[in-house]
Amino acid sequence: MNWYVLFVKSGNEHSVKDWLNKSFDKETLYSIVPKRIIPEKKNGELLRVEKNLFPGYIFVKTEMNFSTYYSIKRHSKIIRILNYLNKIDLTYDSTVSPRNCRGNQNYEEAHYFKKIPEEEMSIILKLLNNYDQIDFSQVYTQDFKVYVESGPLKGMEGIIKKIDKHRRRVKVLVSLMGDERIIDLGIEFIEPSV
């Protein structure tokens, strides 16, 4: 099974996910809406707020074929399934060409849906906890370097691009379908252990 992305009307991610879970069994289709916990100040109080990691996106893991595709597309809030509609996308994934497509995936199917590359999805999945959330990481800086003591960013310091100590956030670079995105994640600053 591979991962795919559904585009839905913003604000309807969770209702569509619930519909998918009722319409398909987990062995056929598994869906997630990745979320992040970030700090926000309201009325002088620091709160932990949950927001969608990619607003308007639902990630599904399934054996995609035309039957599954049309079953998913029945829902009125699903705008489309990410697909190969242009030449840039077709060159991004060299496995999609008339001579390379055989078996379950044929060339016509690639124009309706495309899978998320394994290396990109594995980074997103590694960041998520059991509740499909990216929680705070405990970080400290020393000699102009960022160190992650614990949390989802542990061992992934290379994707950290900037730290905002005042807002208690870190900007990380993730890639999704060949498109690089900067996202804010919540952090807790700690003192370095000696």
Side-chain angles (χ1 to χ4, degrees):
M1 294 200 320
N2 296 306
W3 286 96
Y4 299 87
V5 179
L6 309 181
F7 288 115
V8 300
K9 292 180 181 175
S10 196
N12 292 286
E13 296 90 348
H14 296 286
S15 64
V16 173
K17 179 188 171 202
D18 292 342
W19 176 81
L20 288 168
N21 290 341
K22 289 176 187 170
S23 302
F24 298 91
D25 59 75
K26 280 193 173 184
E27 288 76 38
T28 306
L29 185 141
Y30 175 72
S31 62
I32 62 172
V33 178
K35 298 169 288 292
R36 60 196 168 120
I37 308 294
I38 56 171
E40 283 190 359
K41 272 193 177 180
K42 289 190 180 173
N43 300 328
E45 188 179 343
L46 192 65
L47 304 173
R48 292 168 56 103
V49 178
E50 181 181 84
K51 294 191 174 192
N52 287 344
L53 185 63
F54 301 107
Y57 287 6
I58 298 175
F59 293 78
V60 296
K61 187 174 186 177
T62 188
E63 288 293 335
M64 189 67 77
N65 54 39
F66 278 120
S67 174
T68 306
Y69 171 81
Y70 287 115
S71 295
I72 290 171
K73 287 283 291 172
R74 286 187 324 215
H75 197 287
S76 63
K77 303 289 187 209
I78 296 175
I79 297 169
R80 65 186 173 107
I81 299 174
L82 197 67
N83 56 27
Y84 291 100
L85 289 176
N86 58 53
K87 290 179 182 179
I88 294 170
D89 283 341
L90 287 170
T91 57
Y92 170 66
D93 190 344
S94 61
T95 62
V96 180
S97 69
R99 67 173 180 268
N100 290 339
C101 290
R102 55 189 163 312
N104 288 351
Q105 181 190 18
N106 64 37
Y107 190 66
E108 288 84 33
E109 286 178 342
H111 288 276
Y112 289 89
F113 43 84
K114 70 175 173 180
K115 65 181 180 173
I116 301 171
E118 188 77 30
E119 61 276 3
E120 293 178 359
M121 196 63 198
S122 65
I123 290 172
I124 294 169
L125 292 174
K126 185 178 177 191
L127 291 170
L128 298 175
N129 64 17
N130 293 339
Y131 304 104
D132 299 331
Q133 300 172 326
I134 302 175
D135 209 343
F136 287 19
S137 292
Q138 290 70 40
V139 303
Y140 64 91
T141 56
Q142 193 171 10
D143 300 327
F144 303 104
K145 282 190 173 182
V146 178
Y147 297 93
V148 180
E149 187 72 29
S150 63
L153 289 171
K154 177 108 174 120
M156 301 180 72
E157 290 84 352
I159 66 171
I160 297 174
K161 297 301 169 194
K162 186 178 179 183
I163 289 186
D164 186 341
K165 289 183 179 181
H166 179 71
R167 294 179 69 206
R168 299 179 187 178
R169 295 185 186 187
V170 64
K171 293 191 180 294
V172 298
L173 181 69
V174 294
S175 186
L176 181 63
M177 307 304 286
D179 183 25
E180 293 185 335
R181 299 164 185 254
I182 298 281
I183 55 174
D184 281 0
L185 299 179
I187 55 172
E188 294 173 7
F189 280 101
I190 60 171
E191 291 297 320
S193 54
V194 180

